[in-house]
Amino acid sequence: GKWALGFHGGANMWFTDFNKKKVSPGGEMILRYGLSRYASLGVSGGYEVFKGQQSPVRVTPAYAFDYFRLDAIPVALQIWIHLAPGRIVSPYFYAGAGGMFYKRKDFAGNFVPDDKYKNSLLIPVGLGLEIFASRKVSIVVEGGYRVVDDKTDNYLFGKNDSWATGKAGVNFFLGSGDGDDNDNDGLTNGEERKLGTLPENPDSDGD
């Protein structure tokens, strides 16, 4: 297996009890290890912004606020399933579990209810494409969905809050794995190891 380190940025849309959805920015870093050609395990973490608004304003005790902004730090353990390993364009899907830590502000920038970090369970899922520029670098485009608890918008109506996200970025690969062909001789490193030849030598059989 080999390691991959990725940096991705994009946009989010927060789904809450507010009726106005707003697009906001976010970014993440991933670190994963290839368990096999088809599966990787790793962690993701980042900084995301979410915004929501209620319009027209409902003047009731249940809705004391009509706008919130969340500044959030999501962290998750994830598994990636690679559907076309070794191809220049390689689709994948991922799923995981983790937590999100966040602070909530109203329209005036006041913390609600205070400036302490709150937390929520986090379930991330998504699909993406890796387009390999070389064996060491890939361009990533992905879309995902994240489920959190019902507390992030300060209102409890029995339905989980969530957000959709679209991101693009770059992954850097460290080391090499059985799916690579280090010496470009048409045999993968894993195939060469099984044959007893050298993955770094295109003429390792001496002919």
Side-chain angles (χ1 to χ4, degrees):
K2 62 180 176 180
W3 292 93
L5 177 65
F7 302 91
H8 311 153
N12 305 310
M13 183 171 285
W14 193 26
F15 298 104
T16 69
D17 298 303
F18 288 136
N19 63 1
K20 294 291 184 182
K21 315 305 179 190
K22 294 180 175 292
V23 176
S24 50
E28 69 175 6
M29 182 177 75
I30 66 104
L31 179 65
R32 73 185 191 213
Y33 180 75
L35 302 175
S36 71
R37 294 188 68 199
Y38 294 94
S40 300
L41 183 67
V43 294
S44 67
Y47 174 74
E48 310 282 359
V49 175
F50 308 111
K51 298 175 183 178
Q53 187 173 6
Q54 179 63 38
S55 180
V57 178
R58 288 181 273 188
V59 185
T60 68
Y63 283 89
F65 300 91
D66 64 349
Y67 172 92
F68 278 129
R69 169 187 166 130
L70 249 62
D71 293 276
I73 302 171
V75 180
L77 178 68
Q78 294 181 186
I79 186 165
W80 287 261
I81 303 299
H82 309 284
L83 303 178
R87 302 288 181 87
I88 292 176
V89 178
S90 179
Y92 63 89
F93 68 87
Y94 65 86
M100 184 176 78
F101 305 90
Y102 62 92
K103 292 183 179 181
R104 187 190 303 116
K105 293 180 181 179
D106 64 14
F107 188 78
N110 300 310
F111 289 104
V112 179
D114 53 46
D115 64 352
K116 295 179 180 178
Y117 275 103
K118 309 298 182 286
N119 62 79
S120 168
L121 180 67
L122 170 67
I123 304 295
V125 294
L127 298 166
L129 281 177
E130 281 191 286
I131 304 167
F132 284 84
S134 71
R135 290 184 306 178
K136 299 296 184 181
V137 178
S138 69
I139 307 301
V140 178
V141 180
E142 68 175 39
Y145 194 73
R146 313 287 191 259
V147 179
V148 289
D149 64 29
D150 191 29
K151 301 176 184 176
T152 61
D153 63 356
N154 200 47
Y155 300 119
L156 297 173
F157 289 102
K159 184 177 73 173
N160 284 71
D161 298 334
S162 60
W163 81 88
T165 183
K167 287 185 168 61
V170 179
N171 287 350
F172 300 96
F173 293 85
L174 313 174
S176 60
D178 283 350
D180 293 315
D181 180 10
N182 286 3
D183 52 15
N184 297 309
D185 63 356
L187 295 174
T188 67
N189 297 346
E191 290 169 336
E192 295 216 40
R193 289 189 181 95
K194 289 178 182 178
L195 294 169
T197 56
L198 300 175
E200 304 293 339
N201 185 354
D203 189 28
S204 54
D205 60 358
D207 61 358

